[in-house]
Amino acid sequence: MANDLRFQVVEEAFKKRPVEVKVPKERPSQFFGKYVFDRKKMYKYLPKDIYDKMIDVMDNGASLDRGIADSVAAGMKQWALEMGVTHYTHWFQPLTEGTAEKHDAFVEHDGKGGMIEAFSGKLLVQQEPDASSFPNGGIRNTFEARGYSAWDPTSPVFIIDDTLCIPTIFIAYTGEALDYKAPLLRALHAVGKAAKDVCQYFYDDVTKVQVNLGWEQEYFLVDEGLYSARPDLLMTGRTLMGHESAKNQQMDDHYFGTIPDRVQAFMKDLEIQALELAIPVKTRHNEVAPNQFELAPIFEECNLAVDHNMLLMSLMKKVARNHGFRVLLHEKPFAGINGSGKHNNWSLSADNGVLLHAPGKTPEENLRFVTFIVETLMAVYKHNGLLKASIMSATNAHRLGGNEAPPAIISSFLGTQLTELLDHIEQSDKNELFNLKGKQGMQIDIPQIPDLIVDNTDRNRTSPFAFTGNRFEFRAPGSSVNCASAMIALNAAMAEALTSFKERVDAKIKAGEQMIPAILEVLKDDIKTCKPIRFDGNGYSEAWVKEAAKRGLDVEKSCPVIFEHYLDDSSVKMFESTKVMNRKELEARNEVKWEMYVKTVQIEARVLGDLAMNHIIPVSTHYQSQLIKNVQGMKDVFSADKAERLSSRNMKLIEEIAERTEKIEQFVDDLTEARRVANRIENIHQRAIAYHDTVCPHMEAIRTEIDKLELIVEDGLWTLPKYRELLFIR
């Protein structure tokens, strides 16, 4: 019997039409931040002296006076009630890669048998989530449940539906960070101070340095009906089986192509709601793989950018369902085509308007430019293993190393001009300053087309950490994760590198050397030291893997082993010296990472075993039975010789199905036993390694057999939507 349900789901998906989107009459600039308690609203709803104090906290890092909290809470409540809000929540980012919230109503007893709307400074500043119920790496036990969420006044309060959301950090009763925001804020403070101190060599007017982040969010869309018909997508976010479609991305016709109408409606709706929440979305386009798309905002201050990305991922899921889609944020939901990353464009800017990673117009400014480039390279070189650990996960491991994703070896692409400049400084015996070529014109010999302005670097999509003209693009982070993980490691490492640079320059100046020669001498040493991290070639080549190992770069591929870099002596020293995290916090985070790895693979293994035994084998053997009946029927109709000749193909299929289903059954048994053995290992680190080394290979073996069966079994019997149906939106 044909699988009518699958065909019905596919047919319904192809018949769907775009959902009508209610477009505001105002221009985006007029409804931008509609649901955010931004500075304009603060000025309106807060007393002038309270407003001034809040601005000092937000702009200058002044300590928050708890005495003003009641006034701020009163202003927030008034605005929120006028917007129809009934509840409030502390919105935080635990170590789950998602966000968390508990809603409380604006109500208290009035003492007369009734209720009043109430919201105090105490409720604004602090709440007590159950810390033992979130991943904590053993910092909190079930009988030690208390934890605190504390208001982050540098990130604006916003409204979702009927709830006032207050961005907060999340810490244990004993003070350790249990989230991403707390260490991120510490890392941003550390690098801001270190960068400001180095800037004093070049500018007298710099009082603050800000970290900028521009993330590029890649994602897939799948019709909700097809998604629901794939238990592996539903439970794990990726297809655990599925043969490649005859046509996928090989024609390069999806990238920057015309956006399908249904997707365009989704994007429009998403952008409107994002802009109302002050998320400055700017770019949208088709990505390389079918059904893959990208959204990117204008760059923002790093902490705010991270909050906005986490908020956007939640918003994407909600809006997609309203349009009959499901968003897939998994790094590799489909085999054989591009995966999804979240490229982190990172830079530093001073409050005098200077981008510290951008070339200048004078030799002195270019010395500043080279200083920040070289010290970034020093940070990446010294902690390349840690940076890889910061972006590694069970899901991202499937993406790295192919289909335009960078390899799992951290290196930096600089481009010809900058590479030649650093080589020149390294080899020069003179303490000389230098000029850089700006963007050059390119004539293309078409009279109607103006000259193109060519950047001073090319692009290298195989580079995990590429310089792109005035910033670095960290391409390795995965699409589903919190960008804060990479930003914590990178900014802490940069703070350490800049601090070390200043200490060495100051020592030379104290010994009687002039400032510029002292800076150049330290830069020469650092250029030589960090040279192994510079690589402008093909990151996918086997030759690079061998070369990277010779250079001392981390080439490990095992996810659980890579996590060990968080506990390297150099990592612990760096995090503690910058006051970003202590050893106890690092050990706890590693416990969480290993535990999350085990649980992710464990769930996938269980789902795959269930699908193999309860979907694939029954369907395959049912088709095999039909073939057997056909062969038997031929014997009744034709002569023995003719029947044997005519049924030879079916006999081969019968035999192949039998062999492959037998292998699947054996591999599933092996998979179950491997899990059972691994689960007996008490040490979570060793258990994670066992899952990687013994469980994952069985899953790959099972998939290989299933994908072969998909090509053999009659299409009408196959129960699961195939890649050709999942990957093309009509």
Side-chain angles (χ1 to χ4, degrees):
M1 182 181 294
N3 178 30
D4 294 334
L5 180 59
R6 170 180 149 226
F7 291 138
Q8 181 180 345
V9 170
V10 172
E11 185 178 7
E12 289 177 356
F14 287 167
K15 285 181 178 179
K16 286 183 179 177
R17 294 291 178 261
V19 174
E20 186 175 350
V21 179
K22 186 178 180 181
V23 180
K25 295 180 180 179
E26 307 96 328
R27 297 189 302 274
S29 60
Q30 294 174 306
F31 62 80
F32 181 78
K34 176 181 179 180
Y35 296 114
V36 177
F37 195 64
D38 53 21
R39 295 177 187 231
K40 184 177 179 180
K41 299 182 185 75
M42 287 170 59
Y43 188 80
K44 177 180 178 181
Y45 288 93
L46 300 184
K48 180 64 167 61
D49 61 325
I50 302 299
Y51 170 82
D52 290 340
K53 289 180 180 179
M54 283 297 299
I55 295 301
D56 193 29
V57 170
M58 295 165 64
D59 288 350
N60 304 317
S63 297
L64 177 66
D65 180 3
R66 289 180 69 107
I68 71 172
D70 281 334
S71 294
V72 176
M76 285 183 181
K77 185 190 74 171
Q78 182 182 349
W79 169 68
L81 292 177
E82 291 175 7
M83 296 293 291
V85 168
T86 58
H87 290 69
Y88 66 93
T89 183
H90 275 202
W91 182 81
F92 57 98
Q93 301 166 27
L95 302 177
T96 58
E97 304 302 334
T99 59
E101 53 197 65
K102 179 191 72 171
H103 298 196
D104 288 307
F106 284 133
V107 293
E108 293 290 347
H109 288 293
D110 65 357
K112 302 175 184 178
M115 303 290 277
I116 59 171
E117 286 78 19
F119 181 57
S120 66
K122 180 182 178 181
L123 297 175
L124 166 64
V125 170
Q126 182 176 321
Q127 280 192 336
E128 294 186 14
D130 186 342
S132 66
S133 297
F134 290 99
N136 60 72
I139 287 180
R140 298 269 80 192
N141 293 306
T142 302
F143 62 92
E144 298 173 319
R146 196 183 299 276
Y148 297 117
S149 56
W151 175 36
D152 170 19
T154 64
S155 187
V157 170
F158 56 91
I159 295 172
I160 296 290
D161 297 324
D162 63 353
T163 303
L164 183 70
C165 300
I166 304 161
T168 62
I169 64 170
F170 179 40
I171 61 173
Y173 176 71
T174 45
E176 295 87 3
L178 298 177
D179 69 341
Y180 284 108
K181 181 183 277 283
L184 176 64
L185 290 173
R186 295 173 192 159
L188 296 178
H189 174 75
V191 75
K193 182 181 183 304
K196 182 193 71 174
D197 292 344
V198 172
C199 277
Q200 297 300 319
Y201 292 138
F202 309 102
Y203 308 103
D204 295 329
D205 57 343
V206 172
T207 61
K208 179 183 177 182
V209 171
Q210 173 178 290
V211 180
N212 305 307
L213 172 62
W215 40 263
E216 301 169 19
Q217 180 69 61
E218 295 177 335
Y219 61 96
F220 282 84
L221 287 177
V222 175
D223 184 88
E224 189 165 27
L226 298 173
Y227 172 89
S228 299
R230 288 286 307 223
D232 48 355
L233 277 180
L234 187 68
M235 301 293 289
T236 74
R238 76 179 179 108
T239 53
L240 299 175
M241 62 193 72
H243 199 280
E244 288 185 33
S245 171
K247 179 184 183 299
N248 47 50
Q249 67 186 48
Q250 68 265 46
M251 299 299 291
D252 299 322
D253 54 348
H254 190 257
Y255 189 52
F256 281 19
T258 302
I259 300 172
D261 290 344
R262 284 183 64 199
V263 178
Q264 182 90 351
F266 157 76
M267 288 179 169
K268 184 185 297 185
D269 199 357
L270 175 63
E271 288 175 357
I272 291 169
Q273 295 189 45
L275 290 169
E276 289 177 334
L277 289 166
I279 305 173
V281 291
K282 183 176 179 68
T283 302
R284 66 187 183 200
H285 63 82
N286 287 3
E287 256 299 338
V288 174
N291 276 20
Q292 187 186 32
F293 308 93
E294 181 179 293
L295 180 151
I298 302 169
F299 290 20
E300 298 181 281
E301 185 275 325
C302 185
N303 177 44
L304 183 58
V306 169
D307 282 2
H308 279 166
N309 182 249
M310 297 305 294
L311 178 56
L312 180 89
M313 288 195 292
S314 297
L315 190 62
M316 290 173 76
K317 296 174 184 177
K318 174 184 173 183
V319 175
R321 294 191 70 168
N322 292 338
H323 288 258
F325 288 123
R326 286 299 184 107
V327 167
L328 302 183
L329 293 175
H330 192 289
E331 283 74 11
K332 195 75 169 180
F334 303 102
I337 59 175
N338 278 19
S340 295
K342 179 149 48 193
H343 308 159
N344 283 201
N345 293 277
W346 171 86
S347 65
L348 302 175
S349 61
D351 58 357
N352 64 350
V354 174
L355 279 174
L356 300 182
H357 286 104
K361 296 181 180 180
T362 66
E364 290 77 12
E365 282 204 315
N366 285 327
L367 180 60
R368 176 267 307 156
F369 163 67
V370 171
T371 296
F372 279 91
I373 292 293
V374 171
E375 294 316 307
T376 300
L377 295 176
M378 281 291 289
V380 175
Y381 169 63
K382 186 174 180 181
H383 296 288
N384 71 94
L386 172 65
L387 286 174
K388 183 161 76 171
S390 76
I391 58 87
M392 185 55 69
S393 66
T395 54
N396 203 21
H398 294 290
R399 162 184 167 257
L400 296 176
N403 299 104
E404 286 198 5
I409 302 171
I410 301 297
S411 65
S412 185
F413 168 85
L414 298 181
T416 303
Q417 185 182 351
L418 189 50
T419 297
E420 291 176 351
L421 173 62
L422 296 190
D423 290 343
H424 171 74
I425 297 172
E426 177 191 352
Q427 297 161 11
S428 176
D429 294 329
K430 299 178 182 179
N431 289 325
E432 57 184 357
L433 294 182
F434 36 80
N435 282 308
L436 294 170
K437 295 179 182 179
K439 294 185 178 183
Q440 307 295 310
M442 175 192 289
Q443 292 184 346
I444 54 177
D445 298 325
I446 301 176
Q448 297 90 340
I449 305 298
D451 293 348
L452 299 180
I453 303 300
V454 181
D455 290 284
N456 51 25
T457 69
D458 199 351
R459 299 282 297 277
N460 186 329
R461 292 193 176 276
T462 69
S463 176
F465 197 82
F467 181 66
T468 57
N470 60 9
R471 64 187 183 275
F472 282 91
E473 183 181 19
F474 196 7
R475 295 179 56 83
S479 54
S480 68
V481 301
N482 190 326
C483 341
S485 179
M487 290 294 101
I488 291 166
L490 177 58
N491 286 299
M494 186 63 174
E496 180 193 55
L498 290 172
T499 299
S500 171
F501 171 81
K502 188 171 190 304
E503 288 173 351
R504 287 176 288 147
V505 171
D506 285 351
K508 290 182 181 294
I509 294 173
K510 189 175 181 179
E513 205 161 342
Q514 294 295 311
M515 184 183 72
I516 289 179
I519 291 174
L520 284 168
E521 284 187 35
V522 174
L523 285 177
K524 287 180 184 179
D525 290 340
D526 287 354
I527 290 171
K528 293 176 184 177
T529 300
C530 68
K531 200 167 187 177
I533 204 68
R534 289 158 46 191
F535 178 67
D536 289 2
N538 179 11
Y540 292 162
S541 70
E542 284 300 317
W544 167 234
V545 177
K546 297 176 183 178
E547 173 64 23
K550 288 181 182 178
R551 295 186 184 190
L553 304 182
D554 185 272
V555 297
E556 179 61 58
K557 294 183 179 180
S558 169
C559 192
V561 175
I562 291 168
F563 290 151
E564 295 172 11
H565 285 296
Y566 271 97
L567 298 177
D568 289 347
D569 290 341
S570 59
S571 298
V572 175
K573 180 181 177 182
M574 180 268 289
F575 280 121
E576 290 190 334
S577 68
T578 55
K579 299 181 180 180
V580 173
M581 284 186 282
N582 58 38
R583 178 178 284 275
K584 185 176 181 180
E585 289 173 312
L586 291 169
E587 289 173 345
R589 277 161 200 268
N590 258 30
E591 289 284 314
V592 171
K593 286 179 178 292
W594 287 319
E595 185 177 359
M596 295 296 284
Y597 180 86
V598 167
K599 289 179 178 178
T600 299
V601 178
Q602 186 179 72
I603 291 170
E604 289 186 350
R606 287 174 173 172
V607 172
L608 181 59
D610 171 62
L611 287 175
M613 300 303 295
N614 297 315
H615 286 252
I616 305 305
I617 288 182
V619 166
S620 300
T621 53
H622 178 65
Y623 180 54
Q624 185 184 46
S625 298
Q626 290 183 349
L627 294 174
I628 291 172
K629 289 181 180 179
N630 178 270
V631 171
Q632 293 172 337
M634 285 191 175
K635 290 179 180 179
D636 294 337
V637 174
F638 301 108
S639 65
D641 290 343
K642 191 171 185 180
E644 183 178 355
R645 176 168 56 83
L646 292 175
S647 62
S648 61
R649 177 180 178 276
N650 285 355
M651 286 298 298
K652 289 179 181 179
L653 290 177
I654 291 168
E655 184 176 355
E656 183 174 354
I657 291 172
E659 290 174 350
R660 294 196 183 279
T661 54
E662 182 182 28
K663 286 182 180 180
I664 290 172
E665 289 177 339
Q666 182 59 56
F667 291 155
V668 170
D669 287 343
D670 294 341
L671 176 67
T672 303
E673 180 60 22
R675 283 201 342 260
R676 187 178 293 115
V677 171
N679 289 338
R680 294 195 195 106
I681 301 173
E682 291 189 12
N683 182 281
I684 189 62
H685 181 194
Q686 295 304 317
R687 193 188 311 159
I689 291 174
Y691 261 83
H692 176 274
D693 294 348
T694 65
V695 175
C696 291
H698 292 308
M699 294 174 64
E700 289 301 315
I702 292 169
R703 175 170 193 153
T704 297
E705 299 303 321
I706 291 176
D707 289 356
K708 295 292 185 181
L709 284 174
E710 183 181 320
L711 294 179
I712 297 172
V713 174
E714 180 190 341
D715 185 60
L717 295 176
W718 199 258
T719 58
L720 304 175
K722 298 184 177 183
Y723 272 23
R724 67 169 184 259
E725 297 155 352
L726 291 166
L727 284 173
F728 297 94
I729 294 173
R730 297 295 187 268

